[in-house]
Amino acid sequence: MKKTSTRLADGRELIYYDLRDDHVRDAVDRRPLERTVTTSEIRRDPLLGDAIAVASHRQGRTYHPPADECPLCPSKGDRLSEIPDSSYDVVVFENRFPSLAGDSGRCEVVCFTSDHNASFADLSEEQARLVLEAWTDRTSELSHLPSVEQVFCFENRGEEIGVTLGHPHGQIYAYPFTTPRTALMLRSLAAHKEATGGENLFDAVLECELAGERVVLEGEHWAAFVPYAAHWPYEVHLYPKRRVPDLLGLDEAARTEFPQVYLELLRRFDRIFGEGEPLTPYISAWHQAPFGALEEFEGVNRDDFALHLELFTIRRTSGKLKFLAGSESGMSVFINDVPPERAAERLREVAS
């Protein structure tokens, strides 16, 4: 992998990740951009104890542009985009309309391929491995920023999810706090460790799932299963079999196998609802241990956390979506229309 860092016309950082070492990335951003001005602010909810980002400047972000005006495609002639070069393998850049910025963290865009009409599932194993290396590198770099406590790599796919740019891409959020969902995991981890005299909850969950009926696919170094208490109609958790706290902890064997397992998982997601159906909308989310202090989670350290990826869709059946209505949105109590055991069975049925 070759990494080349440069700057866009408004000062934002852009990084090329190339498969070949002989790529020269010296194209200049020719757009007349002014410096990006953001209004991101973190506010704490005094009753729930969680945090929200207020980012009013995002109202003006690019919204469903035509394909020939996509800002994530390479620049061609007079059609200038966020990527100054005429081609790329994988590229990462600071979001022009970030939810988090400055002391409130950082937001980045990850373009998986220059092919506008592709999807992550269409990538070669080599290209998917390069994306993994980019995620890992950005996790490392962002973790060293003084304002960052947690790094979250994710992909939203599909208009139903709220995606406003059709080009295959994901995002990275670097939060200045430990996110509420991770905090819940850490509290459960601490409570289980104390109650069992030191047993790791993630290890116990993985062992239990691998012995059960909800396994979707399993490799030598990775395992994917539908969790016992899945929140979403089709939800799969992907774990490395050797517990590590973050992407940086993966060894070479796990990195090599990951593209094989993950690409197969994504292709199965696109076959859940049968031939002729639109591509399945999904969210794919990496869960990594926070880099900040964990004193409030007594007895827990970073190495107790287990890196894993959660992949889920909001489509519950052909042509129907799972909406977060009263119970889910009002009380955070999910109601799942698809039994997890049946979801796992379906995901095994549609294997390549």
Side-chain angles (χ1 to χ4, degrees):
M1 180 190 78
K2 180 182 179 182
K3 174 183 174 183
T4 307
S5 180
T6 185
R7 291 283 172 180
L8 296 173
D10 56 6
R12 289 175 293 132
E13 185 178 19
L14 180 143
I15 306 159
Y16 295 97
Y17 294 89
D18 286 303
L19 291 167
R20 290 169 32 197
D21 289 338
D22 59 350
H23 275 301
V24 177
R25 300 298 187 183
D26 56 5
V28 176
D29 185 3
R30 294 180 284 130
R31 297 172 298 170
L33 298 180
E34 296 181 357
R35 287 273 175 176
T36 300
V37 177
T38 63
T39 57
S40 180
E41 176 190 357
I42 301 298
R43 296 187 180 184
R44 292 274 178 181
D45 186 316
L47 296 180
L48 299 179
D50 58 6
I52 67 161
V54 179
S56 59
H57 62 276
R58 285 175 52 79
Q59 289 281 31
R61 66 187 184 274
T62 308
Y63 187 80
H64 293 302
D68 61 356
E69 295 179 15
C70 175
L72 306 185
C73 287
S75 293
K76 298 283 188 182
D78 293 330
R79 191 184 67 77
L80 306 178
S81 73
E82 289 280 68
I83 298 89
D85 215 325
S86 59
S87 67
Y88 64 84
D89 290 337
V90 172
V91 71
V92 177
F93 60 88
E94 288 184 76
N95 199 322
R96 190 177 177 186
F97 304 97
S99 301
L100 309 166
D103 293 339
S104 298
R106 175 157 156 155
C107 292
E108 298 182 341
V109 177
V110 184
C111 298
F112 304 139
T113 171
S114 60
D115 184 352
H116 180 85
N117 297 312
S119 180
F120 201 117
D122 299 321
L123 301 183
S124 67
E125 290 183 11
E126 184 181 39
Q127 185 77 6
R129 168 66 184 261
L130 184 61
V131 175
L132 175 63
E133 297 304 326
W135 283 330
T136 305
D137 180 70
R138 297 315 301 153
T139 295
S140 176
E141 293 291 328
L142 293 170
S143 71
H144 290 100
L145 296 180
S147 63
V148 172
E149 286 195 14
Q150 185 170 358
V151 179
F152 176 45
C153 307
F154 64 100
E155 180 192 1
N156 299 327
R157 188 183 78 169
E159 291 188 19
E160 300 96 326
I161 297 293
V163 174
T164 57
L165 297 176
H167 195 103
H169 73 288
Q171 299 182 67
I172 302 175
Y173 277 22
Y175 297 101
F177 51 80
T178 296
T179 61
R181 187 172 176 83
T182 302
L184 286 174
M185 293 184 195
L186 290 168
R187 292 189 188 102
S188 297
L189 186 62
H192 185 84
K193 190 174 185 178
E194 182 180 9
T196 60
E199 182 181 73
N200 184 278
L201 179 58
F202 287 108
D203 292 350
V205 167
L206 182 58
E207 180 181 0
C208 180
E209 291 291 1
L210 287 178
E213 60 181 316
R214 290 179 297 275
V215 175
V216 173
L217 61 89
E218 184 177 357
E220 183 179 355
H221 304 285
W222 293 86
F225 57 88
V226 177
Y228 171 73
H231 289 58
W232 300 94
Y234 291 91
E235 174 182 338
V236 176
H237 293 190
L238 177 63
Y239 277 69
K241 290 184 176 179
R242 182 180 70 87
R243 172 165 44 90
V244 295
D246 51 42
L247 290 165
L248 284 72
L250 294 174
D251 60 22
E252 181 60 26
R255 292 181 183 281
T256 299
E257 188 181 76
F258 170 76
Q260 305 163 22
V261 175
Y262 187 50
L263 290 172
E264 170 63 16
L265 197 55
L266 292 180
R267 289 161 187 163
R268 291 190 192 189
F269 253 59
D270 280 339
R271 292 194 289 267
I272 292 173
F273 303 105
E275 296 294 329
E277 286 289 323
L279 293 178
T280 302
Y282 66 70
I283 292 175
S284 177
W286 281 110
H287 291 262
Q288 306 191 78
F291 290 94
L294 300 179
E295 283 85 356
E296 65 177 293
F297 310 104
E298 189 172 349
V300 170
N301 57 56
R302 287 195 82 250
D303 290 336
D304 291 324
F305 195 88
L307 166 77
H308 63 284
L309 182 145
E310 298 185 8
L311 174 69
F312 59 91
T313 180
I314 61 171
R315 187 179 292 164
R316 56 187 174 87
T317 190
S318 180
K320 296 179 180 178
L321 301 179
K322 164 66 177 177
F323 292 103
L324 300 189
S327 185
E328 292 88 352
S329 294
M331 283 294 166
S332 295
V333 179
F334 275 67
I335 301 169
N336 195 346
D337 304 285
V338 180
E341 293 72 24
R342 173 55 191 149
E345 181 183 21
R346 178 58 181 162
L347 285 161
R348 290 192 298 267
E349 290 173 350
V350 295
S352 298

